[in-house]
Amino acid sequence: MKLKRNISQFVGFTILRLAAVFVILVLVFIIYDIASKGAKVISWEFITQKPTKGMTAGGIWPAIVGTFWVSLVTIIFAVPTGMFTAIYLNEYATQGKIIRIIRLAIRNLSGVPSIVYGLFGFALFVLMMNLGLSVLSAGLTLGLLTLPWTITASEEALKTVPMSYREGALALGATKWQTIRTNVLPYAIPGMLTGTILGLARAAGETAPILFTGAAFFWPALPSFPKVLVSQFMALPYHLFIMSTQHHEIAKVRPIAYGTALVLIVLVLAMNILAVVIRYRFRKKYKRA
């Protein structure tokens, strides 16, 4: 019996290891393919110039700037909204059937396809609120896409803080908000920020939501702030989509597509590394305290 159980365990672990190795090999191959071909076109001019000659030459600077502005709007909208919603749900709301239904709805929203968010953002921000095809509409749409991730990650981080931290502060006469601000948030903030940054990294690479709400095929220069908020824009993921599938000379612009993909991967990777660094620094800080 024991031998049979050991054999089953060995077979199970072997399958898991093979599956993990297969996934890692595929990932390494994809990244190597993009990096080796994209590195050939990466240069200072490619990063800092606008596209020229029908987008068959030049650089991707407008797409980088557009991605920055859209990501900034997404952060300003999604981060405080998501974190305060999580604090309310976990710390203030009376736990019951309605809160469980709200949590279930939020978790289900994180699985909704991004193109549905794009259509919803188009109907809500572009048509109903008259924000037009703009940085603002696209950023708010990506904010909606990111909110379920932000709320769920923040709430899970808050749950990891022991109840004794709250009870001790309340017993000493602190108010509810003082307890949360001084005894809960310092220990939950690394997890909250990590989940939030990972959600934002996903949003930065999305194409479908900005496709309907403001991304342009060619928009060489953005106006200055605040007019930039109501202007159409170029973005790295949409530029990559155009270069890979929609351009009339796909073979000619393929190197540009690989270069754009490499820049986008580096951007997302940088955001993930930032999440790891923030988590490490906060954990180290409060471990000493």
Side-chain angles (χ1 to χ4, degrees):
M1 189 68 182
K2 186 177 179 181
L3 178 64
K4 187 177 178 181
R5 193 164 56 240
N6 289 339
I7 292 174
S8 300
Q9 182 175 303
F10 174 77
V11 172
F13 278 119
T14 303
I15 293 173
L16 289 175
R17 289 191 186 100
L18 289 175
V21 170
F22 175 73
V23 171
I24 292 171
L25 287 177
V26 170
L27 181 63
V28 169
F29 174 76
I30 292 173
I31 292 177
Y32 171 77
D33 185 57
I34 293 174
S36 60
K37 295 175 180 174
K40 296 176 182 175
V41 298
I42 296 292
S43 64
W44 181 248
E45 288 73 23
F46 182 75
I47 298 294
T48 58
Q49 290 184 355
K50 63 183 181 182
T52 57
K53 300 179 181 177
M55 300 179 76
T56 58
I60 57 171
W61 178 244
I64 294 175
V65 176
T67 303
F68 166 77
W69 278 109
V70 172
S71 300
L72 186 63
V73 173
T74 304
I75 291 170
I76 292 172
F77 171 66
V79 173
T81 307
M83 287 188 174
F84 282 118
T85 302
I87 291 171
Y88 174 77
L89 289 175
N90 197 68
E91 304 294 334
Y92 286 97
T94 303
Q95 303 302 314
K97 192 174 181 180
I98 294 177
I99 296 300
R100 285 200 298 274
I101 292 173
I102 291 173
R103 280 202 184 95
L104 182 63
I106 291 171
R107 283 167 172 75
N108 285 333
L109 281 174
S110 63
V112 172
S114 58
I115 193 167
V116 176
Y117 279 99
L119 291 170
F120 180 77
F122 177 76
L124 178 63
F125 300 121
V126 178
L127 298 181
M128 291 182 65
M129 298 178 68
N130 288 322
L131 296 178
L133 299 173
S134 62
V135 168
L136 204 53
S137 296
L140 292 173
T141 303
L142 287 176
L144 289 178
L145 183 144
T146 311
L147 266 182
W149 293 69
T150 306
I151 296 171
T152 303
S154 299
E155 210 181 347
E156 292 301 321
L158 289 167
K159 287 178 181 174
T160 61
V161 181
M163 284 302 295
S164 58
Y165 286 31
R166 300 171 177 83
E167 293 166 352
L170 291 172
L172 292 173
T175 63
K176 184 82 172 177
W177 173 242
Q178 286 173 329
T179 301
I180 294 169
R181 185 166 54 83
T182 58
N183 279 32
V184 177
L185 285 182
Y187 299 97
I189 206 71
M192 295 171 78
L193 286 176
T194 302
T196 300
I197 292 173
L198 293 177
L200 292 172
R202 181 208 168 191
E206 287 288 352
T207 303
I210 61 175
L211 174 67
F212 296 104
T213 51
F217 177 79
F218 180 65
W219 204 268
L222 285 171
S224 57
F225 183 83
K227 289 183 179 178
V228 64
L229 297 177
V230 292
S231 170
Q232 280 193 268
F233 60 96
M234 292 179 70
L236 286 172
Y238 185 63
H239 187 65
L240 175 59
F241 169 71
I242 294 295
M243 293 291 106
S244 304
T245 62
Q246 303 297 307
H247 201 279
H248 60 281
E249 292 185 88
I250 287 183
K252 193 172 182 179
V253 300
R254 188 161 294 157
I256 298 176
Y258 274 107
T260 306
L262 181 58
V263 172
L264 186 59
I265 287 176
V266 170
L267 175 69
V268 174
L269 185 63
M271 294 181 76
N272 282 276
I273 292 174
L274 177 65
V276 173
V277 171
I278 289 175
R279 187 183 184 88
Y280 174 76
R281 290 178 68 88
F282 271 95
R283 184 175 290 175
K284 193 175 178 182
K285 177 181 175 182
Y286 291 110
K287 190 177 283 185
R288 286 176 181 170

